[in-house]
Amino acid sequence: MSDRLHQTFAERAELAASAVAQRLFKLMTKKESNLCLALDETDPDRFLTVAESLGPHLAVLKTHIDTLSSFTSKLTIELANLAREHDFLIFEDRKFADTGTTVKNQYTKGLYSIMEWADIVNAHALPGPSIVEGLREEVENRDLLERRAILLLAQMSPKGNMLDAAYTKKVVAMAKEYPDFVMGFVGTGPKALPALAREADPGQVIFAPGAKIGEKDKLGPRYSPPEDLVEAGADVLIVGRGIWEDPKPLRMAKDYRERCWGAYQQRIAAPKVGKKK
């Protein structure tokens, strides 16, 4: 884990088997941002307004597209245009969890046609390798391996969830069978993240929710300062209502971007354990 934590994103881009992971590492280096905005605004017009305003400060914008109060394909076309204009990736937080045939249809068909516009999606590993193989097959058939990838959920934050340490190890082992498509993982919390970071390859990206700016003793059990999460192994920090529901979302986006990127810089500059400066 120590080498992984001390390597720069630029160095890790060279180690990534997934083209999307490579692109994200390079994008973060260029923009000096490892911030992912979880934009759960349900009004379509305000959704796009916020995406346009905050896009320049984001590495990734995460969506729950099925929570919008209304939807047409025009919205995702406009979102994809904003992503190109402001240079961020789109992550649809779909959490696929069914059999291979079903997830293929959920990914490519239906109202949302997710594969058409989302650079990244995520999936549970519970159904086994078929879920990765089903999604990968659709991407490969359309010659999109250079542009699409998935994250596997290796850890979750809700109390009592069943994604324990043994499960996390199995998820990472499964991911290593599909290095060109599984770009990384979703982990959580400064206590659990180190175990995931020890298992993951340097070329894989770890996303983590739960970052919050404020007095540490007032953050609550589900939240941690960005510095704690990044030190524990998170690469991309997911922040939601703390930004887009704030009366001044642009200011908050800038503040979170600065704190999250600063935490990454501190991590790569820190002396390695057992090594002298």
Side-chain angles (χ1 to χ4, degrees):
M1 181 175 68
S2 58
D3 286 341
R4 182 184 189 281
L5 295 186
H6 288 86
Q7 289 171 318
T8 67
F9 289 155
E11 291 169 335
R12 290 170 60 190
E14 300 301 317
L15 303 173
S18 160
V20 180
Q22 292 174 12
R23 180 182 168 196
L24 180 55
F25 281 131
K26 292 176 181 178
L27 182 159
M28 291 192 292
T29 302
K30 176 184 174 182
K31 292 187 75 172
E32 296 189 349
S33 175
N34 56 337
L35 175 61
C36 172
L37 176 67
L39 184 51
D40 291 336
E41 169 61 57
T42 60
D43 178 81
D45 291 334
R46 185 164 189 269
F47 176 93
L48 289 172
T49 298
V50 174
E52 182 171 18
S53 173
L54 305 188
H57 304 283
L58 308 178
V60 182
L61 187 145
K62 184 173 79 69
T63 64
H64 282 121
I65 203 68
D66 57 355
T67 66
L68 289 167
S69 60
S70 63
F71 175 83
T72 68
S73 60
K74 181 182 177 182
L75 184 141
T76 48
I77 291 171
E78 290 184 30
L79 179 60
N81 288 338
L82 289 174
R84 284 190 291 271
E85 179 182 352
H86 298 302
D87 200 15
F88 60 80
L89 301 187
I90 304 171
F91 166 21
E92 164 57 20
D93 191 359
R94 180 60 178 79
K95 296 185 178 72
F96 292 108
D98 216 312
T99 61
T101 301
T102 300
V103 298
K104 288 198 305 188
N105 289 334
Q106 290 172 329
Y107 189 32
T108 63
K109 299 177 181 178
L111 180 63
Y112 303 111
S113 300
I114 295 168
M115 190 178 67
E116 296 298 320
W117 51 270
D119 303 291
I120 305 166
V121 294
N122 56 1
H124 285 286
L126 285 167
S130 68
I131 194 167
V132 178
E133 292 167 359
L135 295 169
R136 189 186 182 283
E137 181 180 336
E138 291 299 315
V139 168
E140 189 173 30
N141 286 344
R142 290 164 173 78
D143 197 24
L144 288 173
L145 271 176
E146 295 292 310
R147 296 168 51 197
R148 298 291 181 261
I150 66 170
L151 298 166
L152 291 179
L153 285 104
Q155 299 167 336
M156 293 188 76
S157 58
K159 185 177 181 181
N161 80 82
M162 299 181 184
L163 278 59
D164 60 13
Y167 179 85
T168 297
K169 291 189 73 168
K170 291 179 181 179
V171 171
V172 175
M174 192 171 92
K176 291 180 180 181
E177 298 298 314
Y178 310 93
D180 61 346
F181 187 54
V182 181
M183 65 177 290
F185 309 94
V186 178
T188 184
K191 292 183 179 179
L193 279 166
L196 175 58
R198 280 193 295 270
E199 298 291 332
D201 290 335
Q204 295 173 316
V205 189
I206 296 178
F207 285 62
K212 193 169 184 180
I213 294 173
E215 295 181 39
K216 192 169 183 178
D217 60 352
K218 295 181 180 179
L219 294 182
R222 293 184 59 194
Y223 296 101
S224 302
E227 294 79 7
D228 289 6
L229 293 168
V230 171
E231 182 181 4
D235 301 311
V236 180
L237 298 187
I238 302 170
V239 182
R241 291 189 299 271
I243 293 177
W244 65 267
E245 279 193 344
D246 190 88
K248 297 181 178 180
L250 182 57
R251 181 197 66 183
M252 290 305 297
K254 291 177 179 178
D255 288 348
Y256 270 98
R257 173 188 182 179
E258 183 178 337
R259 283 284 296 274
C260 294
W261 187 253
Y264 156 71
Q265 290 181 310
Q266 290 175 24
R267 185 177 79 185
I268 60 174
K272 296 182 181 182
V273 176
K275 299 275 188 180
K276 294 182 179 179
K277 286 186 178 181

